[in-house]
Amino acid sequence: MTQTLIGPSAAAGPAGLDEYVVAGSYPTYEQAQRAMGHLAEQNFPVAKTAIVGTNLRLVEKVLGRLTWLHSAGGGAATGAWFGLLIGLLVSLFTPGAAALPAALGGLAFGAVFGSAFGLVTHWLGRLAPGRRDVISRSTLIADRYDIVTTPDVAEDAKNLLIKYGWRTG
């Protein structure tokens, strides 16, 4: 079965193409990547292909509650990195033995101010209507992942993917 997509949905295919053909479909992105790797190993022109996810959904995994301690700790860590960077830049222009205290001072001041900024941000967030006191990670997941290709190499891609399917069974 050959599935050719033409028109506005073709924007999801390889850049600049008006149409593309589905050469293979896989239930997970990792399987589609492995199949694409197989095409590359067979010296297939992979520049004429793309992996297209269909029926996308957003999954948000809640990792925990956002607490005052977490806000302060995250702010301190971010501020420490920024302070260390500034301290290292200042230490480049500081003579001799004063260079190390400049870098460490920047790290310490950055951690203190970052922690304060994290606490203020948390407090302001609690004042906002519809606030969220959770930490989460969002992921896009598709129901299936299609390997699509230009029509001129579609049959070659399908044949290679059929052989790949026989091998991985």
Side-chain angles (χ1 to χ4, degrees), residues 3-168:
Q3 182 180 6
T4 303
L5 303 173
I6 301 172
S9 62
L17 298 179
D18 291 333
E19 71 175 32
Y20 58 94
V21 178
V22 176
S25 292
Y26 300 90
T28 67
Y29 183 70
E30 291 75 23
Q31 289 173 331
Q33 278 186 317
R34 285 194 295 272
M36 187 68 79
H38 173 74
L39 290 176
E41 290 169 2
Q42 302 302 313
N43 295 321
F44 183 82
V46 292
K48 295 183 175 192
T49 63
I51 297 175
V52 178
T54 56
N55 296 329
L56 296 178
R57 63 185 182 274
L58 179 69
V59 177
E60 185 173 8
K61 180 172 174 39
V62 176
L63 303 173
R65 272 199 81 194
L66 181 62
T67 63
W68 290 97
L69 183 62
H70 185 271
S71 296
T78 303
W81 279 111
F82 185 70
L84 180 62
L85 173 68
I86 299 299
L88 288 173
L89 288 174
V90 169
S91 72
L92 291 175
F93 303 104
T94 304
L100 182 62
L104 294 177
L107 183 129
F109 279 113
V112 169
F113 285 108
S115 179
F117 184 75
L119 290 171
V120 168
T121 303
H122 184 80
W123 175 69
L124 289 174
R126 293 181 65 87
L127 297 177
R131 64 182 170 90
R132 294 181 45 183
D133 284 344
V134 296
I135 303 165
S136 62
R137 179 178 302 136
S138 297
T139 307
L140 274 178
I141 299 176
D143 283 342
R144 84 169 189 264
Y145 298 88
D146 297 331
I147 293 182
V148 297
T149 185
T150 57
D152 60 322
V153 294
E155 287 304 316
D156 293 336
K158 288 177 188 177
N159 291 333
L160 287 170
L161 291 174
I162 287 170
K163 291 176 185 173
Y164 171 73
W166 288 342
R167 193 176 74 184
T168 59

